[in-house]
Amino acid sequence: MQTVMSGFARQCLAAVGVLVALTILLGVAYPAAVWSVSRIGASSAEGSQLVDAHGCAVGSSLIGVDPHVPAGRPDPYLHGRVLGSAGDPMAPGDPAASAASNKGPGNQDLKGWIEARRAIIARREGVAPSAVPADAVTGSGSGLDPDISEAYAAVQVPRIARTNGMSEQQVRAIVDQNTSARQWGFLGESRVNVVKVNLALGRTAPSCHR
């Protein structure tokens, strides 16, 4: 009987030892290691947040936010790609939800949206409809693309300069500073980050009070 109890006690001690060891390894050491690695790129770990001159978060460099300007008001901002809806072909993507229309190139609704967008953007920028780039009238797969083409940014430069009381050269310099080259030198195309440009143009967080 004593031998049986002694064996049971050893098994209990071994089980407790394994439990303590795994708790330390998987409950403390592993989470601490993952957290430490995340601090190497802390900006990415926190959502790549961008802040304005007051230190208030205005968005993420990874998520497109198209600024809304009330009708009849001067439009000083760079605009991103749109998502579109039956009621508003210029509806921007919703940062709270990634969604696309799933409409193919032959869809008549999509064709109608594209033509409506082309006319609206041409009128807004004071250019011919044929000068409006493709990414200006089409949405990305997620609806949250943070970037636009250099061509779409260039079309908007004169309006932005005029509305902000800046020279076109100054605006182009801001655009150039926030333009990324092709990924790894050969993937995709060069792109302009909309949120970063608008931040440089003085956009602030409307809910920030400092």
Side-chain angles (χ1 to χ4, degrees):
M1 182 67 177
Q2 185 177 1
T3 302
V4 173
M5 292 301 296
S6 177
F8 177 72
R10 286 197 300 271
Q11 290 179 0
C12 288
L13 287 174
V16 171
V18 171
L19 176 63
V20 172
L22 290 177
T23 298
I24 294 174
L25 178 63
L26 302 178
V28 178
Y30 177 70
V34 171
W35 181 85
S36 298
V37 171
S38 74
R39 295 303 92 191
I40 295 175
S43 175
S44 297
E46 300 299 333
S48 300
Q49 294 186 33
L50 298 173
V51 297
D52 61 18
H54 304 290
C56 298
V58 296
S60 167
S61 63
L62 304 177
I63 299 177
V65 178
D66 195 69
H68 174 71
V69 179
R73 296 284 298 275
D75 187 348
Y77 299 121
L78 183 72
H79 288 281
R81 302 179 71 175
V82 298
L83 186 60
S85 66
D88 181 7
M90 292 298 290
D94 181 1
S98 173
S101 69
N102 292 325
K103 296 183 183 298
N107 183 274
Q108 293 302 313
D109 289 338
L110 179 58
K111 289 182 178 180
W113 290 354
I114 289 175
E115 291 308 314
R117 292 167 185 166
R118 182 173 285 113
I120 291 171
I121 293 172
R123 183 165 58 250
R124 184 186 72 197
E125 307 302 341
V127 299
S130 59
V132 178
D135 66 308
V137 297
T138 56
S140 64
S142 67
L144 304 178
D145 194 341
D147 306 310
I148 59 175
S149 66
E150 288 187 275
Y152 188 22
V155 166
Q156 301 183 64
V157 165
R159 169 185 52 79
I160 294 172
R162 184 172 60 252
T163 307
N164 286 286
M166 303 169 67
S167 69
E168 292 187 18
Q169 184 177 3
Q170 289 175 307
V171 177
R172 288 195 188 95
I174 292 175
V175 170
D176 290 343
Q177 290 166 8
N178 295 285
T179 299
S180 300
R182 290 182 172 186
Q183 188 174 21
W184 300 328
F186 66 94
L187 289 179
E189 299 293 338
S190 55
R191 58 206 183 276
V192 180
N193 189 285
V194 174
V195 179
K196 288 182 178 180
V197 170
N198 287 329
L199 189 61
L201 290 172
R203 190 181 188 204
T204 59
S207 59
C208 180
H209 302 287
R210 293 194 181 183

